[in-house]
Structure formats: structure tokens, C-alpha cells
Amino acid sequence: MATVTLDDITHVYGSGDDAVTALSDVSVRADEGEFVSIVGPSGCGKSTLLYLTGGFLDPTAGTIAVDGDPIDGPGTDRGVVFQEYALYPWKTAMENVTFGLSHVTDLDAEAIESRARAELARVGLEGDADKYPTELSGGMKQRVAIARTLAYDPAILLMDEPFGALDDQTRELLQEDLLDICTETDRTSLFVTHDIEEATYLSDRVIVLTAQPGEVKTVVSVDIDRSLPRDEVLRTDAFLETATEIRSAVHEELVIGSGH
Ligand SMILES: Nc1ncnc2c1ncn2[C@@H]1O[C@H](COP(=O)(O)OP(=O)(O)OP(=O)(O)O)[C@@H](O)[C@H]1O
């Protein structure tokens, strides 16, 4: 698996009077197997940071590297999961997962199908491979999107509010599944959320960005016993204290951002 580093990243959208500095001198690192979340007030550049790491945007200044090699556009070493499931409505769950795999792997059709089946099973959809997106709930669609990304076997997972559109129960189930998947596969994850409990529950480290332009305000290490059931984790002192520390840091920025 892999380490991803963002060094002194500044990103400016537009130019002249319309220029918006989304990120200013941000340095972030996620080591192999580490789960790092990015939180901060709306507009602080969280999504921008993820798009840059995905290679969909070029930073105005700074370097992004995977295992020390600067990235040059998108690559199959980095898999993305966004809030919008972005599934093809005319393709089944299985076809959504297999689509495109032949271009990025040297597997034959049979091997591709078997890998897709394994990934659908991993996210609990072994019985739903032939269903179309309209026949799937929001949670199931997001599971298909996750399976599709995992099928590429990316070393790094980039997730932008992947559970933002889901109801609380589905969100909690998917959080637990994601923790299992990340532990099982030792992937490196960068995860954007505005949900502080979610960030605390999932992460090894949480990076709090300042109000726009986003700078790193603080980095909080999370040391909680994830072998406990979710409900118990959420009641531990370590969890509550860490979530409070992160919430206070974000709140300070909300106050600054609102001019109070
Ligand atoms: N394509 C664009 N052109 C111009 N400005 C942009 C563009 N995309 C984002 N911005 C601006 O850059 C800043 C950061 O946006 P970004 O979407 O990265 O923030 P965010 O932290 O993900 O926000 P949210 O939590 O609301 O999703 C914002 O001020 C936004 O208006």
C-alpha cells in the first residue's frame, strides 16, 4: 500500500478580481494504512484538497506525491468515492463494478467478473449483482460505488462525504463496514466529512482546516479502542474527549468565518 503527501499546497480558483484562494500552504500526510479525515467549516477547501489529491485539479503551488513520486493526473493508485453515487443507471450493480476494469487491469473477462463478485460480496451485495440502480436504496448504491472503487484495488482511497446523503442508520452501518474494509486491506484513506463523530470514529488522525482560505489549524490524533462495538466506542472517555477537541477547533473557525 502507499503513503500520500501534500507539501505546501496552495490552490487558487480563477484570477484577478475573481480569484478565490481555496487552500493556502497546506501540508498533509497519510501514511500507509492510515485513515486521515479532513474537517472544517463549509468552503474551507476540503473537497478541493481531495480533488487535487485525485489528480483532477493541478495545485497552484506545492507538490502531491504517492510514495515520494509526484502525481501527474488521476491514476488507479487512487480510488475515489464521492457523495453522489455516480452509477450508470442503465447498468446493473455488477456491470457498474466491471465497467472500465478491463482498461485498468490485465484481467480477462472471467477474472474481472469474479473480482467484481468478490467486491460486491465484501460490501454485502452478493444477492443484488443483477439489480439496476433504481432497484437499490441509497445505502446499497453507495455500497456499489465503494465496490467499484475497491475493484481497482487502489492503494489510496479518497472519499468526499461518501455517507452524506444517507440516513443515520445506513450511515452507521457503512461506517462500520468501511472500518472493516480499511483494516482488512490496510489501505491508506483520506476522508472528507463535516460530521465530527464520523471523523473521530473512523480516523487515526483528524486534520482541522481553518475557514477559507483553508490552512491546517490543528491535527488531532485519535486513540480509541475500535475492537469495542460502535455504541461502546462512542461512550468511551477517549472518544468523547477527542470529538470535543475537534469540535471546539472547528467551532472556533465557524465563529471566525462568520465574523463574530
Ligand atoms: N470551480 C470553482 N471555481 C471557483 N471557486 C471555487 C470552485 N470550487 C470551489 N471554489 C471555492 O473554493 C473554496 C473551497 O471550496 P471547497 O468546495 O473545496 O470547500 P469545502 O470545504 O469542500 O466546502 P463544503 O464543506 O461546503 O463542501 C470555496 O470558497 C468555494 O466557493
Side-chain angles (χ1 to χ4, degrees), residues 44-186:
C44 71
K46 303 182 290 297
S47 297
T48 302
L49 188 148
L50 224 62
Y51 290 138
L52 289 164
T53 312
F56 307 112
L57 285 174
D58 289 328
T60 309
T63 314
I64 300 174
V66 173
D67 284 338
D69 293 329
I71 62 164
D72 179 18
T76 51
D77 54 346
R78 285 151 285 142
V80 293
V81 182
F82 294 130
Q83 181 173 337
E84 313 77 38
Y85 323 112
L87 300 181
Y88 297 109
W90 61 89
K91 289 181 186 287
T92 63
M94 175 61 124
E95 289 163 350
N96 264 287
V97 176
T98 56
F99 183 73
L101 266 186
S102 59
H103 300 297
V104 296
T105 64
D106 44 17
L107 301 174
D108 61 24
E110 205 177 319
I112 283 177
E113 173 146 345
S114 114
R115 182 181 286 188
R117 255 183 221 293
E119 294 306 341
L120 283 169
R122 199 206 292 271
V123 297
L125 291 180
E126 50 276 81
D128 303 290
D130 297 328
K131 292 192 176 143
Y132 288 89
T134 49
E135 301 173 90
L136 303 172
S137 68
M140 291 161 94
K141 283 190 264 209
Q142 196 54 296
R143 286 172 193 271
V144 175
I146 292 170
R148 179 176 57 188
T149 300
L150 292 176
Y152 287 85
D153 199 22
I156 297 161
L157 276 182
L158 305 173
M159 294 168 275
D160 191 356
E161 301 250 17
F163 309 144
L166 305 177
D167 62 79
D168 287 351
Q169 273 105 3
T170 310
R171 172 186 270 253
E172 287 168 18
L173 280 176
L174 276 174
Q175 286 172 358
E176 289 180 50
D177 290 349
L178 181 63
L179 262 189
D180 289 343
I181 287 166
C182 290
T183 315
E184 243 169 55
T185 56
D186 211 24

